[in-house]
Amino acid sequence: MIEKVSAGPITVFLTGAHTNLAIFLMQNPHLKKNVEHIYVMGGGVRSKNPTGCCPKNATAPCQPQLCGDRGNLFTGYAGNPYAEFNIFGDPFAAYQVIHSGIPVTLVPLDATNTIPINRKFFMAFQKTQLTYEAQYCFLSLKMSRDTWFDDQFYTVIFF
């Protein structure tokens, strides 16, 4: 990581816990200037609100089922059913990254819950990987799918 960030400028995309990047930034504060932006897949913005997100005086249509989604900690831990794994795994590191002074864009779990991944989408995506980024995303999605039994990937995770 030090070689890439030292060469700068660089954009960082975090798809897991923030531990490694937080330690890197704390040990190399002089290199923060080389990181232009950090994109974080993590957290839950509206997940704490199990009643939905539609205000009583809403003028636009609202879909309350998109709000108040449960988190993605699939363990016996029940103290916070709305927790999201990437932040929950190391909240101190997440705090360090988010407060590093580097611009951060958060893509929370509740944003990803609005994207249906069904068999039809998966097959269409498999046939239209036109960029290296699309190939990477598809292979990541396929690896996730291949760890589930039968068709549970399409039902348990995304619906």
Side-chain angles (χ1 to χ4, degrees), residues 97-126:
V97 170
I98 292 169
H99 291 88
S100 66
I102 300 168
V104 173
T105 298
L106 180 71
V107 181
L109 180 64
D110 39 312
T112 64
N113 285 340
T114 64
I115 302 168
I117 307 269
N118 54 30
R119 183 176 282 107
K120 181 179 176 183
F121 173 88
F122 187 88
M123 295 309 204
F125 192 12
Q126 185 175 22

Side-chain angles (χ1 to χ4, degrees), residues 12-16 18 37-47 72 84-87 98 104-115:
V12 176
F13 185 64
L14 283 176
T15 60
H18 296 66
H37 204 98
I38 300 170
Y39 291 90
V40 172
M41 184 178 78
V45 175
R46 294 183 294 203
S47 297
N72 62 352
E84 188 279 326
F85 180 82
N86 295 343
I87 303 294
I98 292 169
V104 173
T105 298
L106 180 71
V107 181
L109 180 64
D110 39 312
T112 64
N113 285 340
T114 64
I115 302 168

Side-chain angles (χ1 to χ4, degrees), residues 1-149:
M1 183 185 295
I2 197 160
E3 296 84 18
K4 292 288 186 183
V5 176
S6 294
I10 192 167
T11 298
V12 176
F13 185 64
L14 283 176
T15 60
H18 296 66
T19 308
N20 292 340
L21 183 59
I23 291 170
F24 177 83
L25 294 174
M26 288 188 288
Q27 290 178 342
N28 302 284
H30 61 286
L31 293 177
K32 287 182 184 181
K33 67 184 182 321
N34 291 357
V35 181
E36 291 183 324
H37 204 98
I38 300 170
Y39 291 90
V40 172
M41 184 178 78
V45 175
R46 294 183 294 203
S47 297
K48 291 182 185 176
N49 183 359
T51 61
C53 65
C54 299
K56 292 180 182 177
N57 60 353
T59 57
C62 183
Q63 299 175 351
Q65 68 270 20
L66 298 180
C67 301
D69 292 325
R70 298 184 72 75
N72 62 352
L73 293 181
F74 303 116
T75 67
Y77 178 76
N80 182 352
Y82 304 104
E84 188 279 326
F85 180 82
N86 295 343
I87 303 294
F88 184 85
D90 193 343
F92 177 76
Y95 180 90
Q96 293 298 316
V97 170
I98 292 169
H99 291 88
S100 66
I102 300 168
V104 173
T105 298
L106 180 71
V107 181
L109 180 64
D110 39 312
T112 64
N113 285 340
T114 64
I115 302 168
I117 307 269
N118 54 30
R119 183 176 282 107
K120 181 179 176 183
F121 173 88
F122 187 88
M123 295 309 204
F125 192 12
Q126 185 175 22
K127 294 175 184 175
T128 57
Q129 302 168 51
L130 304 178
T131 65
Y132 291 117
E133 294 84 0
Q135 291 169 12
Y136 175 83
C137 289
F138 177 77
L139 287 175
S140 298
L141 187 62
K142 184 179 183 307
M143 284 182 359
S144 178
R145 185 204 63 179
D146 291 348
T147 64
W148 286 85
F149 298 107

